[in-house]
Amino acid sequence: ARSSAVAVLSDRDIAGLSERAKLNMMGCRIFPAFGLLMVPFTMSVRGAFGTPTVAVLTTHKPLDLQGNYAGYFATFSAWPLPKGDLAVQAPEDELGCEKYPQDWPPSTGGLGPAPGWISIVMRGKCTFIQKAQMAEQAGAKGIIIVSNNQTVQIMGGNTTDGTVGIFTLGVDRLLGEKFRNASIIAQKSGQEPLMMSVSPYVSSLLNISEGILILLAATLVALGAFFSTADLDIHPPGSFSTALAAPQEEVLEVDHWLAVGFCAVGSGFLVFLFFLMQYMIYVIIFCFCVGGASCIAQFGAICLNHQFPPLRNKSTNLPVVGILAHADIIAGIPAAILVTCWVILRNTSYGWPFQDIIGAGFLCWLQRTLRLPNIKIATLLLSAMFFFDIFWVFISPLFFHESVMVRVATGGGTGESVPMLLRIPAFGDPFGNDRLLGFGDIALPGLLVSYLRRHDLMSRRSLKAGYFAPALVGYFIGLCVTIAALCIMKM
């Protein structure tokens, strides 16, 4: 949600303009909303409309493989899909390029041949269509082709090879080897085969998880704008707002060099992580823990100091940390507990609320201390980051053979995920995947929205007459459009 369209904004007051000019100027307030709406939509158009591309493989036997797994339909896969459970069989020719034996599939578990079965073969030697045709001639209802690595190619084929009358799926190497090994063991021991059903993955536009994620992001942007403007003298002395104000020495104002530097340093850091992620992932996790605990502890100390002034008294002086008041120690206890819970549960389905709370503290603290001085710098920063995302997500595979941004964000094969994002569990999703939104998609629009709120307050504009509300609404609508586009395109 980063836009260069915000350059149409004006810092001038509309007082003294003609009525027609006033109307035109007020109409211009829709442009930040429009810009924040359109850019994430544009950046998310990565697929195309058509038949489902993702399949849900639901296994029932054996017990250690029970669950839902993802497969990817070939472009020539036949429809409709067969109903009910199908037995998974691994032919003698692991590549599936040779003709199957006459008595295939073998009887298993004394049950005789399965009423419906799926062939599972490895990629290689012959075309995908030829593999599917061989399985179809043997009577299979479908075929699973195992990739050579963890990247699954959406399989296509040449029409000159003929047509295919069964469904064809691709799976990654680790999952495919699990299925093949289970099938081979069942065939050799006479046990019941691996049984699974296949269905298309359908993502609902109205999934409550997306709604919660969008509301959380918009709320954090608005809350960060509130923290960012807490230092203005429009707030009464001694109020909670003034207590939240960042000391002047902590405030960093973005200039044009810093705006460009974000892209340059960020690009260098991405490449560094791309090659050394297996070592740096734990450094990132450590920094996330320390920084998250610090942000939450400081927010807690501010609240305690405001409500209970005696807690401001000095308690101790620690090396490196410095002077600590009673409020700092009290607030540090729940912060440490929160971070500890996240470290322990980060790779489970219970880690998301702790990560989101820590992330919320980060984002609000960022908007509190980092400020845009004018709309020119805002335009430069957001425009630069817009092209930064495009390059490292879509163009970098031309130079690095895979997306640098995607590899870094997914942990680079370490089994860990970079924690710099919000997570909400997907309710009703067969894969149990979390819905994710990166910190950058909240922090950077948040800086613009914070600047607009500061401009409105300093120019004494009401909520209806200012820029803050349209920009916040535009950001909200932009996220809605983005999520809807991803769901429609089966991304």
Side-chain angles (χ1 to χ4, degrees):
R2 299 160 190 171
S3 174
S4 61
V6 297
V8 297
L9 293 175
S10 171
D11 289 322
R12 296 175 298 174
D13 201 330
I14 61 174
L17 297 176
S18 66
E19 289 300 316
R20 183 178 181 84
K22 288 181 181 181
L23 290 174
N24 289 338
M25 184 64 74
M26 292 173 68
C28 285
R29 288 198 300 273
I30 68 171
F31 280 103
F34 179 77
L36 289 174
L37 185 157
M38 290 306 298
V39 173
F41 177 80
T42 304
M43 293 176 64
S44 299
V45 178
R46 305 176 191 175
F49 296 95
T51 57
T53 57
V54 181
V56 181
L57 311 180
T58 304
T59 59
H60 305 290
K61 298 176 183 178
L63 292 177
D64 59 339
L65 283 178
Q66 280 187 352
N68 295 317
Y69 304 92
Y72 301 88
F73 289 109
T75 57
F76 55 83
S77 185
W79 298 87
L81 299 176
K83 304 291 184 180
D85 286 348
L86 302 169
V88 179
Q89 304 285 359
E92 295 176 1
D93 174 22
E94 67 171 11
L95 298 177
C97 296
E98 305 294 334
K99 190 174 181 178
Y100 289 55
Q102 290 289 339
D103 58 348
W104 195 265
S107 300
T108 54
L111 300 177
W117 60 280
I118 309 170
S119 178
I120 182 166
V121 300
M122 302 298 295
R123 178 179 177 178
K125 189 177 179 180
C126 58
T127 67
F128 300 129
I129 288 182
Q130 289 171 343
K131 293 176 187 287
Q133 289 172 337
M134 286 296 177
E136 184 180 5
Q137 291 173 13
K141 300 293 185 180
I143 184 171
I144 298 174
I145 300 177
V146 182
S147 176
N148 295 332
N149 50 47
Q150 288 306 103
T151 301
V152 183
Q153 175 185 349
I154 300 299
M155 298 175 291
N158 195 324
T159 55
T160 59
D161 292 335
T163 60
V164 174
I166 60 175
F167 70 85
T168 306
L169 295 172
V171 297
D172 64 69
R173 185 178 183 87
L174 289 179
L175 178 60
E177 288 180 344
K178 286 182 181 179
F179 287 166
R180 273 189 57 82
N181 292 338
S183 176
I184 292 171
I185 290 173
Q187 290 167 198
K188 290 182 176 179
S189 63
Q191 299 174 356
E192 288 188 66
L194 170 64
M195 302 295 293
M196 73 167 56
S197 60
V198 181
S199 60
Y201 174 69
V202 179
S203 181
S204 172
L205 288 175
L206 301 178
N207 192 299
I208 190 174
S209 302
E210 277 93 354
I212 295 173
L213 188 63
I214 292 169
L215 287 174
L216 179 59
T219 300
L220 289 175
V221 167
L223 194 61
F226 171 75
F227 289 150
S228 176
T229 55
D231 63 315
L232 295 178
D233 56 11
I234 62 171
H235 303 295
S239 66
F240 183 63
S241 296
T242 57
L244 289 172
Q248 192 60 39
E249 62 270 15
E250 293 184 9
V251 176
L252 177 62
E253 193 170 89
V254 180
D255 57 19
H256 63 282
W257 290 113
L258 189 57
V260 175
F262 273 138
C263 289
V265 175
S267 297
F269 192 58
L270 273 178
V271 174
F272 177 72
L273 292 178
F274 179 79
F275 291 107
L276 298 174
M277 197 62 181
Q278 64 268 32
Y279 309 109
M280 294 302 298
I281 184 63
Y282 298 104
V283 176
I284 294 173
I285 290 174
F286 175 78
C287 294
F288 179 77
C289 293
V290 174
S294 175
C295 290
I296 294 171
Q298 289 186 62
F299 274 128
I302 289 172
C303 296
L304 290 173
N305 287 332
H306 179 72
Q307 295 295 330
F308 309 101
L311 293 179
R312 299 176 183 176
N313 296 332
K314 175 183 174 181
S315 175
T316 185
N317 191 351
L318 296 179
V320 181
V321 178
I323 298 175
L324 294 178
H326 291 92
D328 297 321
I329 296 175
I330 295 173
I333 294 174
I337 293 174
L338 187 69
V339 169
T340 301
C341 290
W342 177 79
V343 170
I344 296 172
L345 302 172
R346 67 184 186 279
N347 292 323
T348 71
S349 58
Y350 304 103
W352 66 270
F354 305 104
Q355 182 167 322
D356 289 351
I357 294 173
I358 296 171
F362 263 128
L363 293 167
C364 290
W365 199 262
L366 178 68
Q367 285 182 247
R368 178 176 178 263
T369 56
L370 194 62
R371 292 177 188 168
L372 298 172
N374 55 60
I375 204 63
K376 292 181 180 179
I377 298 299
T379 302
L380 176 62
L381 175 64
L382 296 175
S383 300
M385 296 307 295
F386 174 70
F387 291 106
F388 173 90
D389 266 4
I390 292 176
F391 179 84
W392 290 112
V393 174
F394 301 108
I395 302 178
S396 62
L398 299 177
F399 304 96
F400 297 90
H401 305 294
E402 62 179 312
S403 173
V404 173
M405 184 78 80
V406 171
R407 178 174 174 81
V408 170
T410 55
T414 62
E416 300 280 356
S417 296
V418 175
M420 312 305 286
L421 45 79
L422 298 181
R423 294 169 51 192
I424 298 292
F427 301 99
D429 188 287
F431 299 130
N433 295 328
D434 291 341
R435 296 298 186 257
L436 310 173
L437 186 64
F439 285 176
D441 295 317
I442 301 171
L444 289 173
L447 292 177
L448 172 63
V449 174
S450 295
Y451 167 75
L452 296 175
R453 174 172 166 78
R454 177 174 293 271
H455 175 267
D456 289 349
L457 292 177
M458 293 181 68
S459 59
R460 299 291 192 265
R461 295 176 188 267
S462 66
L463 194 63
K464 292 175 61 176
Y467 295 104
F468 167 72
L472 185 61
V473 171
Y475 175 70
F476 174 82
I477 297 175
L479 287 179
C480 292
V481 173
T482 301
I483 297 299
L486 292 174
C487 292
I488 291 172
M489 294 183 292
K490 317 293 184 186
M491 297 298 291

